[in-house]
């Protein structure tokens, strides 16, 4: 039979140990809280709540929370968020007592105009409906190995609905919806997308590196390296590199529609700030509406 007095003493000792342990842990936590406490400005939450929470990267930061923290620190300006409602950016600037600031809107641009009605195909791809999948099988079915494969990986990955596919299998970017998040840039296996300020209106819609008739045999709207755009532009604005017209955007202030006028294929274009495409008056018109047949030669 267990002695009740012994049990009572053991219980008291155990409770004493537990109490001592609890007090010790409380003291340790209090000390840790004092020395490890990280102050967070309460204004961060207020600013963060006024941001769009798209976490798109258009401001140049990894997410809205980080952008809010840098706003409080004075490292960025509210206007750098080009996705947010203008009224919200103004409210943030007034709340923080800082200048609104601004940042030129950037959009995704596609360096290809070779839809299936102008670009030839050498094979029919059958497999996973994905540009990345098709690119792994001989580079895809297009004769132009640099061209868009048209399987909408870019449209699928765009969380903002800014990319749609036209009837000829080419991506179309809605400049108003584009946040310049860069997802389309990352997903395209042909590296056809680039992010550009809307002021970069002179654009080469091609990446074909073949020359002359060889390039045009693959795609009717390919750059054929004829150099007309180079000759019609201010010195250094456009050069031919690896048989492809290349624009030096450090000289963008010199750009004008003059550069596109004599392009025979319409490979170099002028883009409105809404993304509308203007071709030069010498560009051969594209009349065909249907897809070209597959050439197995």
């Amino acid at each position: 039979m267990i002695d009740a007095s012994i049990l009572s003493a053991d219980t008291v000792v155990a409770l004493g140990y537990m109490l001592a342990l609890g007090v010790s842990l409380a003291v340790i936590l209090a000390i840790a809280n004092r020395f490890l406490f990280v102050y967070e400005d309460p204004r961060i939450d207020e600013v963060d709540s006024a941001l769009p929470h798209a976490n798109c990267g258009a401001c140049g930061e990894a997410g809205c929370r980080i952008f809010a923290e840098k706003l409080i620190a004075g490292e960025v300006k509210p206007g750098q968020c080009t996705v947010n409602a203008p009224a919200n950016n103004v409210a943030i600037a007034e709340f923080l007592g800082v200048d609104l600031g601004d940042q030129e809107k950037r959009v995704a641009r596609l360096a290809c105009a070779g839809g299936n009605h102008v670009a030839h195909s050498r094979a029919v791809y059958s497999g996973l409906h994905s540009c990345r999948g098709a690119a792994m099988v001989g580079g895809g079915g297009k004769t132009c190995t640099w061209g868009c494969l048209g399987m909408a990986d870019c449209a699928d990955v765009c969380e903002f609905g800014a990319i749609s596919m036209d009837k000829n299998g080419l991506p179309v970017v809605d400049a108003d919806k584009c946040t310049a998040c860069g997802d389309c840039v990352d997903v395209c296996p042909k590296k056809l997308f680039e992010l550009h300020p809307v002021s970069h209106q002179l654009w080469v819609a091609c990446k074909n590196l073949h020359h002359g008739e060889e390039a045009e045999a693959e795609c009717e709207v390919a750059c054929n390296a004829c150099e007309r755009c180079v000759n019609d532009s201010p010195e250094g604005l456009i050069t031919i590199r690896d048989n492809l017209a290349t624009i030096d955007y450090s000289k963008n202030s010199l750009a004008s529609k003059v550069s596109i006028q004599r392009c025979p294929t319409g490979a170099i274009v002028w883009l409105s700030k809404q993304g509308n495409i203007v071709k030069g008056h010498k560009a051969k018109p594209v009349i065909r509406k249907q897809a070209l047949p597959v050439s197995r030669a």
Side-chain angles (χ1 to χ4, degrees), residues 24-242:
S24 299
L25 290 174
V27 171
I28 292 171
L29 289 173
I31 294 172
N33 182 64
R34 179 179 180 84
F35 289 98
L36 300 179
F37 174 74
V38 177
Y39 172 78
E40 182 174 82
D41 194 317
R43 295 178 299 169
I44 294 175
D45 286 334
E46 295 191 48
V47 170
D48 186 41
S49 67
L51 293 172
H53 294 280
N55 296 315
C56 59
C59 62
E61 307 299 334
C64 291
R65 184 72 181 185
I66 296 174
F67 184 63
E69 292 171 355
K70 291 196 172 184
L71 280 169
I72 298 301
E75 298 175 13
V76 295
K77 298 292 186 182
Q80 288 179 226
C81 178
T82 57
V83 180
N84 206 10
N88 286 353
N89 282 343
V90 171
I92 291 172
E94 291 176 349
F95 173 70
L96 297 177
V98 299
D99 293 333
L100 177 63
D102 58 16
Q103 178 166 300
E104 186 177 8
K105 180 177 175 62
R106 296 189 304 158
V107 296
R109 298 266 173 83
L110 179 71
C112 182
N116 56 30
H117 63 316
V118 291
H120 293 268
S121 296
R122 53 187 166 82
V124 176
Y125 167 73
S126 179
L128 179 66
H129 191 78
S130 163
C131 299
R132 287 167 292 177
M136 294 177 67
V137 184
K142 273 192 171 178
T143 304
C144 173
T145 58
W146 296 275
C148 174
L149 297 175
M151 295 185 185
D153 288 19
C154 52
D156 293 339
V157 79
C158 181
E159 296 182 3
F160 305 96
I163 301 178
S164 58
M165 304 300 292
D166 70 14
K167 63 182 181 180
N168 300 309
L170 273 184
V172 178
V173 178
D174 185 330
D176 291 332
K177 294 181 179 179
C178 181
T179 66
C181 68
D183 286 348
C184 57
V185 176
D186 294 336
V187 80
C188 179
K190 300 291 186 176
K191 304 301 179 186
L192 293 173
F193 280 100
E194 294 180 12
L195 301 180
H196 281 260
V198 293
S199 62
H200 289 181
Q201 294 178 268
L202 190 62
W203 181 248
V204 180
C206 184
K207 275 203 169 181
N208 192 315
L209 301 183
H210 288 151
H211 183 271
E213 293 181 357
E214 185 179 3
E216 290 189 65
E218 296 173 345
C219 178
E220 295 175 11
V221 295
C223 174
N224 61 12
C226 68
E227 299 194 23
R228 290 179 176 87
C229 58
V230 175
N231 296 329
D232 294 345
S233 301
E235 185 176 357
L237 176 62
I238 303 177
T239 55
I240 301 296
R241 297 179 185 173
D242 297 324

